[in-house]
Amino acid sequence: MNSHEQYVYEVTYSVADQFSEAHETWLPKTTEQWITTAKLDGFESEQNVLGESPEVRLRLTFETFAQWTAFVESDAYRDCLEQLQPMTEHLTTHLWEPTTISLHSPANDGTQLTADGCWGDE
């Protein structure tokens, strides 16, 4: 399966200053636990280079919706998220599913996609 066909689950957050050290311990342990107990296709940890919130994004990829569901319903996921919650500010999660993009105008309004990727008149 191509990476563009995978389900992408994101956990984004900022670490509260007083928990920086605890987070540095939590992240590698959690990463190891998640990648060894779940059927993940990929796992990435990214840091916002502009210093904006959220500061951290964890990207987990799954081949199927069922694999994602099994992951978020697992004790390993719930326990780790419960540990993370008090260390963070603005914790959010999002699941992204594959979708297609039509290159044709959805309505017959006289516009069409131009070569530069912008909508224009016919």
Side-chain angles (χ1 to χ4, degrees):
M1 177 170 279
N2 295 329
S3 63
H4 70 278
E5 296 173 341
Q6 296 176 327
Y7 289 84
V8 176
Y9 185 59
E10 294 182 340
V11 178
T12 60
Y13 57 90
S14 294
V15 179
D17 290 339
Q18 68 269 31
F19 294 107
S20 295
E21 192 172 309
H23 179 260
E24 287 180 26
T25 302
W26 176 88
L27 187 57
K29 287 180 181 179
T30 297
T31 301
E32 182 179 357
Q33 186 175 6
W34 284 354
I35 64 176
T36 59
T37 61
K39 184 161 171 90
L40 297 174
D41 282 354
F43 181 92
E44 295 178 26
S45 174
E46 300 169 329
Q47 186 169 355
N48 186 327
V49 296
L50 300 177
E52 301 169 340
S53 183
E55 297 171 334
V56 179
R57 176 171 67 174
L58 305 178
R59 288 183 82 239
L60 298 87
T61 54
F62 300 88
E63 186 173 330
T64 67
F65 184 77
Q67 290 169 345
W68 170 80
T69 301
F71 173 73
V72 295
E73 292 176 351
S74 71
D75 289 338
Y77 171 75
R78 289 184 193 159
D79 292 345
C80 290
L81 216 58
E82 284 178 18
Q83 294 169 11
L84 177 62
Q85 181 70 45
M87 293 186 270
T88 64
E89 302 168 353
H90 314 292
L91 183 121
T92 62
T93 60
H94 299 279
L95 178 64
W96 303 91
E97 78 174 331
T99 180
T100 58
I101 299 173
S102 173
L103 296 180
H104 301 355
S105 178
N108 191 6
D109 62 0
T111 61
Q112 67 180 16
L113 189 62
T114 62
D116 63 1
C118 298
W119 291 101
D121 293 329
E122 288 188 306

